[in-house]
Each structure stands twice: as structure tokens, then as C-alpha cells.
Amino acid sequence: MDKVIDVPDLGVPRIVIVGGGFGGLEFVRNLKKTDFQVVLLDRNNYHTFQPLLYQVATAGLEPDSISFPIRKLFHGFSNFYFRLAVVQKVDIEGSRVLTDIGELKYDHLVIASGSRTNFFGDEKIKYHCMPLKTVVQSLQLRSLLLQNFEQALQTKDLQERSALMNFVIVGGGPTGVELAGAISELKKYVLPVDYPELDVRRMEVHLVDAGDRVLNALSPKSSQSSQKYLKKLGVILHQNTFVTSYDGEVATTKKGDQDGVIYSRNLIWSAGVEGNSPKGLDASLITERGNRILVDEYSKVLGQENVYAVGDVACMKTEEYPNGHPMVAPGAMQQATQLAKNFKNEAAGKEKKAFVYNDKGSMATIGKNKAVVEVGNFKSSGPFAWFIWMFVHIMSLLGMRNKSIVFINWFWNYLNYDRSNRLITNRFSKEERKQMRDQGKAGVVI
Amino acid sequence: MDKVIDVPDLGVPRIVIVGGGFGGLEFVRNLKKTDFQVVLLDRNNYHTFQPLLYQVATAGLEPDSISFPIRKLFHGFSNFYFRLAVVQKVDIEGSRVLTDIGELKYDHLVIASGSRTNFFGDEKIKYHCMPLKTVVQSLQLRSLLLQNFEQALQTKDLQERSALMNFVIVGGGPTGVELAGAISELKKYVLPVDYPELDVRRMEVHLVDAGDRVLNALSPKSSQSSQKYLKKLGVILHQNTFVTSYDGEVATTKKGDQDGVIYSRNLIWSAGVEGNSPKGLDASLITERGNRILVDEYSKVLGQENVYAVGDVACMKTEEYPNGHPMVAPGAMQQATQLAKNFKNEAAGKEKKAFVYNDKGSMATIGKNKAVVEVGNFKSSGPFAWFIWMFVHIMSLLGMRNKSIVFINWFWNYLNYDRSNRLITNRFSKEERKQMRDQGKAGVVI
């Protein structure tokens, strides 16, 4: 018999939630003081505020200020249980979840396992690039960036030196655009004073986008503004262009029938995400594009009685969103809230309600005083949009301490054109990085 | 020929400094705008404020707020060069330093490589214990502590559960005392609310001290107060007691001819430090006890013309301090300042001055409102001493940003009895930890 995760039997229905992201936490929060046993499983004991990972990677914020301990969120929830576990498989037949620390039976299962980086099957790129989906990856990227600058001092080979200093960011979505902007600000304000021996002007920041405008979830006008900001910061924008190969040193690109090469030791892959669906679900339940789990309007997995999915991993096809809702935090939270309400309604003998996604708008920041914001018909760009962006992000962070510390950091960086956290905390040789990658730890993740 | 570290030849004397600790940085700071080329080597690109490592390990502070990027300190120093390098050997004959990135010639060498954990030759303890001398180690300790609590939930074996929750801290110096206090505060304020399923009262914090009073560098009165505070916080104090063996699960102790055992998966070794002398120096130059480098009153290594040592790694025997000065940060900074002045004096044709250590006193904090401070004849304990301790530590931190963030953290923790940074950022299985230790990475260091 497998090892069993030791959770007491409370004699009430047990809901097991997979994943402590925006959706999973919101679901738990809404089930305080109900007659359900709520068991949350996550591979980390903290929640990650993913929208700000790129600021950790570029030395603007400390990792601890965008992370929040999960247990701390649910003090006083007498029906809440947390287990630090990596979910390996879902066994629908047996109503149980299999994890690295044992199996756990459920009465209801809520899959909120979010999204993961989508490499579209390119194993070579996956092996060599840096992804940016976790706190650990963001610290690795920060270390790699700074370590390559230190190394650039040690070579007289100009091509190698350029490769160490150049960046290729693949994907013109919010992560790619924000990262390109942040790295360009490092280039502008921080690196020249830190490395007076290097000719930082030679450093190139390439943003390679497969589409003809960045941030294509926003209006063409906002894309225009963003591109203007990116160019102002010196980002080299490649549009309608694909990265076709990367071997750790050279990226090859394709635009129409034109081929190109960029020498770079730093390729960051933010070209797409896909649902992080757990193993064990029938293939018919998973979308072909995007690896998301098909759910009905009550977030119930198609054909299942007691299995649900919310957030990025769920795909609820509606007339307005035939490919499912956008994979964004507000959507996950709304969906989780509605699902929790339905659990409570059902227990109280009330009607369940179908979920309706409420688009809260979209925003991205490219640099100091440079951002675009769209909420309904309201569109803004420039310093005011930048201010809104900061306000919304600070308010969305969990906890007063994190809010204060992020505020201080941003205030400090604003006044001093600084990024204070430029510490190489994970220092690895090229051989060690290769070894770790060979062990399947993409992006020198440990 | 070996690879050479690429540093330009300025045509002025080159001083190479090994180590960016308190001594090394102070030395560089005093050589601004002088006719010396100053090249600093360190294995990290940041300075670590070691006195607060224990607060990172116990989730009270984020690692970034006690670290400071070295390059940032010396903006505007046109004669300053930094290289990220691990010094492997000093070659006095050849006037060069050998590192992992190549060799470097010097005209003058200043060894400021600090101290390292002293295991007194016990390889088994070294293999199994957690040391606490670096930022990475402090994060490892934080992760181990929390991970063992998560694991304690998964066992019904009461002895195993106790072992996961128990702590053994070896050494009654400032690090041991402060750590024992901080872990006891976690036990008192944080762990019971985070882990309502565990009977945290069963958790034991053992402080094992070979002497008959803790903090023996302070007066007996301060030791008394500290012991009173420790007992108030529930620390089990073993005096005149040695840890004779530790296998990762069980620590055996000896007091006189009484043997004892403590079951614990968490043994922290803070029983001593020794000079971190680089290889390549003649054995006659190294003290037998303490592994420090013998220097004259001008911090010049005995018998050498152009090699100096300052700080913890240096041993200047004087009438008042026949075994060298205490290994503390203020001493290192004073010695480095004097050495830099002597370099300037000599260049200006002035007299060199012998170094005289000025004892700035000593302090330690055991917990909220619980500290001891001694400065000259001034002795204090309790809330006022605690306030002084906090003030001195905040003022000693490098940079306004770090000062502000540490202040916010402490203010927050004071009001909320909280430790907010309880994130398991380095999650390893027992097998992975074993593997890393087998590779010589003590304390699951990566």
C-alpha cells in the first residue's frame, strides 16, 4: 500500500486543492468557517506573486517581498490543512491524488495548478534558455545576468564579450516587454557605473516577437506606445520574427524567409505558457492547444462529478471566449470565488451559479514613467499609467509588510535610478550549469 | 602559462586585497583617490553583514537586506577594481595570487579573508551539522527548519517527530545565544499558529556550551542576565558540556563523566571559528590554535615585506592581547583603516603608526526586550540594551535602503510577534542533501 498523507478525518466532505496560486488561495479564503475540510497541496510553502518575478530577476526587488507564506494566510481557519507536496498524478477512479509524500483521498478535487512555460516542444531551447515562472528561476536569472557581466571582464574576445552582455528575450507579451524594459534600465542606469571597465553601450537587448505588435491583448494604440517606450530605452525589437534555434551561445531567427543570428549567452524564454495540467486525466479532457482542462460553466471538469478546475489550468469555452478566458490572475480569483460560493450554495440547498468572467483590463510597465493601462474604455499611457500600475501592484501584494517593502524599494529606485539587489546568490560554473540541466533542471534551477 | 586575471596595468603600485568583509572594504574605502591600484577579490559580489545571519536563518529578515553589492560601494573610485574570484593559493615567491579565474600579480597583498567555522577536526559533525557563516547557509538553515516541521506532520512516530522539531545549538558565544533566542521566539510566537496540528510545546531548543557561562567575552553579570533570558524563553541550557558526536539524528553529549543523548535532526554548529588563512603561506606564519596569520604591529605578515593581514584572519600578539585581538568586526575595521593610513603615510614620506586596538564593547540580543550591552564601564541589560543593540546594528548596515528595510521588518515583528520570511526556498529531499554533502558541500550548501 502507498504511504498516505496524514490528515485527520473530520467527518465532513474533504475538498483537496492542488496549487496555492491566485485561484487556489482565493478558493480557500472563501471557505472559512464552512462544513468542509479544506486541504491545500503545493510544492512550495509560499505563494508567489508572479507578475513581479521579472523585478526580482532584474535586481529591483528581493524575492521575499513578492512571496507570502501560505500557512500565515490561514491562521484561524479551523478547517484548513496545508501539505507541502508535489502532485504527481490524479487518480479520478480512486478519488485520490498521488504526491511525493504519499496519497490523499478526496471527496471533491479542485485543480488550480496554474500554468507553466510552453516551449512548443523545442527541447534544445528548453535545455539552454532561462525560463521565468518561479522565485528560484528569477534568482537564477539575476545571478546569471550579473555573473556573465563579471565574466565579460575576463575575455578579450570581443564576440564572446558581446555574447555575455547581450540579451535575447523571446515573446512580446507582458513578461517579455516588462523584462526587456527592466534590463534596458539596468543597462542605462546601473551597469555603466558598476562596470566602468566595460563598454556597456555595446550591450544589446533584443525582444523577439512572433506577432506584428507587442502586448497584443491590449489595443493597437497601447501596443504602439509600448513599442515607442521600448525603442526609447534602446530595445532592439524584432517583429514577425521567430527564434528557430538556440544552443546556449547563438540564437538563430527567422523573419519571413530572412534568417538572422544573435550572439547571446542570455536567452529568456517568455514566448508562451500552457496549462499545468496534472497527469492522470483523460486526454479528451485536455485542450490540444494550451494543455488546459475543459470545464463547464460551473468550473466542473467535463463529465466528472466531483472534480473542478479553476484559473490558468482551466478552459471554460463560452460564446465570448471560445478558447477559454485569458490566463490572468483576476480571472483565476473570480472563478475560484464563484466556485467556493457554489459549494456553499449547494450545501445550503441553494442554486448554483454559472461563472461569468469580468474583464478587469490589462496593464504593463516598460520603465520609469512608462506604462500602458486599459480598463474598459479607459486607456492611458505614460507617467499616470505608470502610477496606476504601481498602485495596483502594491495593493495586490499579500500583506502589509510586503507592501511596505516593495514601496520602499520602488521609491528608492525612483529617486536613485538604482536596483539594489544585484547579488549573485547562485554562483555556478558553466560545467555545473550543464550538469544541472542534464538532470532536467531547466534554467539552472535548483 | 596559467590564465591571467585581466586587470589593466596603471603604472602605480597594485594592492591586491583578498576578501570583501568588514576589513577588506574598510581598507579600500580609505584608499580613495590615492596613487595605488586597488584590486579586491571575493567569492561573492556582495558584502555579508554576518552579525545578522541568524535573523535570516530564523525568518526575521530577508537575505538581501543584510547583503550589499560590493561594486556599488565604490562608484567613483577610479583606482578600484573588483574581480569575482575564489582565491585558491597565495604564491609569496612569485608575488601572485592564484584563483579559480586565473592568477594575479601584486605589489602589495592584503589578506582579509576573515574566519570560517571551526569543527576542531570532527569530520562527522562537519558532515551532518548546519554551519552559519554565509547568506546561502542561512537560507539553507531556514529551509531545513521549516521543512522539518512540514515533515513532522507526516510521521506518527513520536520520537521521530521530536527529532524533527528539536534543535541543538552548539556553542555559547554570541551566534549560539542569539540563535537559541530567535528559535525560541519562533517556538513561542510563530510555530504554534502555523502548525496547530503539532504540539509545539514538545519542541526543545538545546544550547550546549563547553564553558560554565555563556557569552564569556562579557562580564559574569551579563552572562547571568543572558542565561536568565534564555531560560525564560524555554531554552534548555547545558553547561560545561560537549557534543561528542552527531550522526544527523542523535547528538551525544558529555558533561564530566555523564553521557547524554538528544534526538534532533537540526544541529547547528556555532562552537567556534578559525582564521580563514589562504593556502601557500609557510606553516610558521600560522598560529597553531586558530589558524590565524601572525602579523607585526603594522599588520605586516612576519618576515614579509609586502604581505599584510587584517581582521579575523590576522593575529597580532600584543601585551594586552597575547593571543591576538578578538575576532570582531570593529577590530577588523580599525586595523584596516590604520593599514590604509600607513600606506598613505609611507607614500607621503611620513612615519608609519603601530596599530592599537580600541575595544568598542560587546553586545548580544536574546529576544524581544532582552539584550546585554557592555561598552567600557557601561553595562546594561533588558529593554534599553535591546534598543541600543537594534540601533547599533541598523546604523552599521550598509546603505539607506537596507537600513530602512531592516527597520520595517523589526518594527513589524515587534508589533505582530511575527517572522514573515518563513519561506522554504531550498527544498531538498534527504537523499539530495546527502548527495550534496558527499560532494563536500557542508550544511546542504549549494
Side-chain angles (χ1 to χ4, degrees):
Chain A
M1 209 191 81
D2 282 344
K3 201 172 164 2
V4 173
I5 296 185
D6 188 25
V7 175
D9 186 350
L10 300 187
V12 296
R14 175 186 292 167
I15 311 178
V16 171
I17 300 122
V18 177
F22 289 106
L25 295 187
E26 196 62 23
F27 181 77
V28 174
R29 196 178 284 128
N30 278 281
L31 287 180
K32 191 176 185 176
K33 291 191 181 157
T34 53
D35 285 332
F36 294 102
Q37 180 182 36
V38 178
V39 186
L40 177 65
L41 306 176
D42 198 288
R43 65 174 66 230
N44 292 315
N45 76 333
Y46 55 87
H47 167 75
T48 302
F49 192 79
Q50 290 187 351
L52 292 177
L53 281 175
Y54 82 95
Q55 295 222 358
V56 175
T58 52
L61 290 175
E62 46 274 86
D64 300 50
S65 63
I66 66 157
S67 312
F68 199 89
I70 289 175
R71 290 189 176 279
K72 183 172 161 171
L73 280 173
F74 301 116
H75 288 170
F77 279 58
S78 53
N79 60 339
F80 172 74
Y81 295 81
F82 174 75
R83 289 298 179 268
L84 186 70
V86 180
V87 172
Q88 291 163 333
K89 202 180 159 186
V90 167
D91 172 15
I92 304 265
E93 289 282 297
S95 292
R96 54 181 196 157
V97 173
L98 308 179
T99 80
D100 63 335
I101 63 165
E103 62 164 74
L104 181 64
K105 287 257 183 195
Y106 60 76
D107 296 306
H108 302 275
L109 176 67
V110 176
I111 303 172
S113 43
S115 57
R116 63 185 176 214
T117 308
N118 187 352
F119 297 97
F120 304 103
D122 194 320
E123 289 297 322
K124 198 171 167 195
I125 287 180
K126 181 178 176 181
Y127 181 89
H128 288 289
C129 79
M130 299 290 300
L132 186 58
K133 280 293 279 181
T134 69
V135 169
V136 175
Q137 286 171 350
S138 67
L139 288 173
Q140 298 283 10
L141 182 50
R142 182 177 87 179
S143 288
L144 184 73
L145 185 166
L146 295 166
Q147 198 171 322
N148 280 347
F149 262 77
E150 296 292 340
Q151 212 179 317
L153 292 166
Q154 294 308 311
T155 179
K156 290 191 192 278
D157 178 336
L158 282 186
Q159 183 172 303
E160 191 193 353
R161 189 183 281 187
S162 296
L164 286 163
M165 293 164 66
N166 288 349
F167 281 79
V168 178
I169 297 149
V170 190
T175 303
V177 167
E178 300 194 314
L179 195 56
I183 293 175
S184 300
E185 287 200 330
L186 276 181
K187 175 187 170 181
K188 198 169 168 185
Y189 302 125
V190 177
L191 296 172
V193 276
D194 260 11
Y195 298 92
E197 297 173 69
L198 292 173
D199 187 355
V200 177
R201 287 168 306 176
R202 293 176 65 97
M203 170 185 175
E204 296 169 354
V205 183
H206 297 267
L207 180 61
V208 184
D209 188 20
D212 57 0
R213 62 180 179 96
V214 301
L215 301 176
N216 63 15
L218 276 74
S219 67
K221 200 183 150 219
S222 291
S223 297
Q224 286 287 315
S225 308
S226 306
Q227 286 165 198
K228 191 185 72 191
Y229 294 143
L230 286 168
K231 283 178 183 157
K232 209 167 174 184
L233 282 169
V235 174
I236 304 166
L237 191 56
H238 304 258
Q239 293 182 304
N240 301 305
T241 308
F242 295 85
V243 168
T244 51
S245 170
Y246 181 59
D247 65 0
E249 314 251 330
V250 184
T252 53
T253 60
K254 197 166 195 67
K255 179 178 187 170
D257 47 12
Q258 267 192 307
D259 293 326
V261 291
I262 309 170
Y263 291 89
S264 172
R265 295 271 185 94
N266 314 281
L267 185 136
I268 301 143
W269 187 259
S270 52
V273 290
E274 61 181 10
N276 187 22
S277 305
K279 285 181 190 160
L281 291 172
D282 194 273
S284 67
L285 297 174
I286 311 285
T287 61
E288 209 162 305
R289 279 189 58 175
N291 202 43
R292 298 167 83 184
I293 304 170
L294 291 164
V295 297
D296 67 15
E297 67 268 41
Y298 303 105
S299 302
K300 191 177 276 191
V301 177
L302 294 190
Q304 305 301 319
E305 261 323 293
N306 56 346
V307 184
Y308 306 79
V310 296
D312 285 4
V313 77
C315 179
M316 187 188 291
K317 295 187 175 180
T318 60
E319 214 159 287
E320 205 184 343
Y321 298 98
N323 298 314
H325 310 112
M327 294 160 85
V328 293
M333 293 167 83
Q334 292 167 21
Q335 199 182 356
T337 305
Q338 185 59 58
L339 179 59
K341 277 189 187 155
N342 283 346
F343 268 98
K344 289 190 280 191
N345 282 345
E346 210 163 17
K350 290 193 221 160
E351 278 287 291
K352 291 197 296 182
K353 250 184 162 174
F355 170 62
V356 181
Y357 173 62
N358 174 13
D359 188 350
K360 294 279 189 127
S362 216
M363 54 180 75
T365 185
I366 296 93
K368 186 186 271 201
N369 293 326
K370 299 180 184 70
V372 289
V373 170
E374 293 187 3
V375 186
N377 288 322
F378 172 80
K379 288 185 182 55
S380 170
S381 66
F384 183 61
W386 187 66
F387 180 79
I388 295 176
W389 182 92
M390 285 202 297
F391 181 77
V392 167
H393 279 77
I394 285 188
M395 293 317 290
S396 308
L397 277 167
L398 291 172
M400 264 313 290
R401 198 198 67 102
N402 285 4
K403 285 184 175 66
S404 327
I405 289 178
V406 168
F407 177 77
I408 288 194
N409 274 294
W410 285 349
F411 192 67
W412 176 260
N413 295 345
Y414 184 80
L415 290 183
N416 298 281
Y417 297 86
D418 197 11
R419 303 289 178 272
S420 297
N421 302 70
R422 40 193 195 276
L423 319 171
I424 301 175
T425 42
N426 306 314
R427 191 181 170 212
F428 297 106
S429 67
K430 225 177 144 183
E431 289 68 41
E432 283 174 308
R433 291 209 295 269
K434 182 170 180 325
Q435 207 183 343
M436 284 187 284
R437 285 183 164 146
D438 288 343
Q439 289 169 9
K441 296 179 176 175
V444 292
V445 174
I446 25 158
Chain B
M1 209 192 79
D2 282 346
K3 200 171 165 4
V4 172
I5 296 185
D6 188 25
V7 174
D9 186 350
L10 300 186
V12 296
R14 175 186 292 166
I15 312 177
V16 172
I17 300 121
V18 178
F22 289 106
L25 295 186
E26 196 63 23
F27 181 78
V28 175
R29 196 178 284 129
N30 278 282
L31 287 180
K32 190 176 185 175
K33 292 190 181 158
T34 53
D35 285 332
F36 294 103
Q37 180 181 37
V38 178
V39 186
L40 178 64
L41 306 176
D42 198 288
R43 66 175 65 231
N44 293 315
N45 76 333
Y46 55 87
H47 167 76
T48 303
F49 192 79
Q50 291 187 351
L52 291 177
L53 280 175
Y54 83 95
Q55 294 222 359
V56 175
T58 52
L61 290 175
E62 45 273 86
D64 300 50
S65 62
I66 66 157
S67 313
F68 200 90
I70 289 175
R71 290 188 176 280
K72 182 171 162 173
L73 281 173
F74 301 115
H75 289 169
F77 279 57
S78 54
N79 60 338
F80 173 74
Y81 294 81
F82 175 75
R83 289 298 179 267
L84 186 70
V86 180
V87 172
Q88 291 162 335
K89 203 180 159 185
V90 167
D91 172 16
I92 305 266
E93 290 282 296
S95 291
R96 56 181 194 155
V97 172
L98 308 178
T99 80
D100 62 335
I101 63 165
E103 61 164 74
L104 181 64
K105 288 255 184 197
Y106 60 77
D107 296 305
H108 303 275
L109 176 66
V110 176
I111 302 172
S113 42
S115 57
R116 62 184 178 214
T117 308
N118 188 351
F119 297 97
F120 304 102
D122 193 320
E123 289 296 323
K124 198 172 167 193
I125 287 180
K126 182 178 176 181
Y127 181 88
H128 288 289
C129 80
M130 299 289 301
L132 186 58
K133 279 294 280 180
T134 69
V135 169
V136 176
Q137 287 170 350
S138 67
L139 288 173
Q140 298 284 9
L141 182 50
R142 182 177 87 180
S143 289
L144 184 73
L145 187 166
L146 295 166
Q147 200 171 322
N148 280 347
F149 261 78
E150 295 292 339
Q151 212 180 317
L153 292 166
Q154 294 307 311
T155 178
K156 291 193 191 273
D157 178 335
L158 282 186
Q159 182 172 304
E160 191 193 355
R161 188 183 281 185
S162 297
L164 286 163
M165 293 164 67
N166 288 348
F167 282 79
V168 178
I169 298 149
V170 190
T175 303
V177 167
E178 300 194 313
L179 195 55
I183 293 175
S184 300
E185 286 200 330
L186 277 181
K187 175 188 169 180
K188 198 169 168 185
Y189 302 126
V190 177
L191 296 171
V193 276
D194 261 11
Y195 298 91
E197 297 172 68
L198 291 173
D199 187 356
V200 177
R201 288 168 305 176
R202 294 176 65 95
M203 170 186 176
E204 296 169 354
V205 183
H206 297 268
L207 180 61
V208 183
D209 188 19
D212 59 359
R213 63 180 179 98
V214 300
L215 301 176
N216 62 14
L218 275 74
S219 67
K221 201 183 149 216
S222 292
S223 297
Q224 286 286 315
S225 308
S226 306
Q227 286 164 198
K228 190 185 72 190
Y229 294 144
L230 287 168
K231 283 178 184 159
K232 208 166 174 183
L233 282 169
V235 174
I236 303 166
L237 191 56
H238 304 258
Q239 293 182 305
N240 300 305
T241 307
F242 296 85
V243 169
T244 51
S245 169
Y246 180 59
D247 65 0
E249 313 251 332
V250 184
T252 53
T253 60
K254 198 166 195 65
K255 179 177 186 171
D257 47 12
Q258 268 193 306
D259 293 325
V261 291
I262 309 170
Y263 291 89
S264 172
R265 295 273 184 92
N266 313 282
L267 184 137
I268 301 143
W269 187 260
S270 51
V273 290
E274 60 181 8
N276 187 22
S277 305
K279 284 181 190 161
L281 291 172
D282 194 90
S284 67
L285 297 174
I286 310 285
T287 61
E288 209 163 301
R289 279 190 56 177
N291 201 43
R292 297 166 84 184
I293 304 170
L294 290 164
V295 297
D296 67 14
E297 67 267 41
Y298 302 105
S299 302
K300 192 176 275 188
V301 178
L302 295 190
Q304 304 301 319
E305 262 322 294
N306 57 346
V307 184
Y308 306 79
V310 295
D312 285 4
V313 78
C315 179
M316 187 188 292
K317 295 187 176 182
T318 60
E319 215 161 286
E320 205 184 341
Y321 299 100
N323 297 315
H325 310 112
M327 294 160 84
V328 293
M333 294 168 81
Q334 292 167 21
Q335 199 182 355
T337 306
Q338 185 58 58
L339 179 60
K341 277 188 188 155
N342 283 346
F343 268 97
K344 289 190 281 191
N345 283 345
E346 209 162 19
K350 290 193 221 159
E351 278 286 290
K352 292 197 297 181
K353 251 186 164 169
F355 170 60
V356 181
Y357 172 63
N358 173 12
D359 187 351
K360 294 278 190 130
S362 217
M363 53 180 76
T365 185
I366 296 93
K368 185 186 272 201
N369 293 326
K370 298 182 184 69
V372 289
V373 169
E374 293 187 4
V375 185
N377 289 321
F378 172 80
K379 290 185 182 56
S380 171
S381 65
F384 182 60
W386 187 66
F387 180 79
I388 296 176
W389 182 93
M390 285 202 297
F391 181 77
V392 167
H393 280 77
I394 285 188
M395 294 318 290
S396 308
L397 277 167
L398 292 171
M400 264 314 290
R401 198 197 68 101
N402 285 4
K403 285 184 175 66
S404 328
I405 288 177
V406 169
F407 178 77
I408 287 194
N409 275 293
W410 285 350
F411 191 68
W412 177 260
N413 295 345
Y414 184 80
L415 290 183
N416 298 280
Y417 297 86
D418 197 12
R419 302 289 177 274
S420 298
N421 301 70
R422 41 191 193 276
L423 319 171
I424 301 175
T425 42
N426 306 315
R427 192 183 170 210
F428 297 107
S429 66
K430 226 178 144 182
E431 288 69 39
E432 283 174 308
R433 292 209 296 268
K434 183 171 179 326
Q435 207 183 342
M436 283 187 283
R437 284 183 165 147
D438 287 343
Q439 289 169 10
K441 297 180 176 174
V444 294
V445 174
I446 23 158

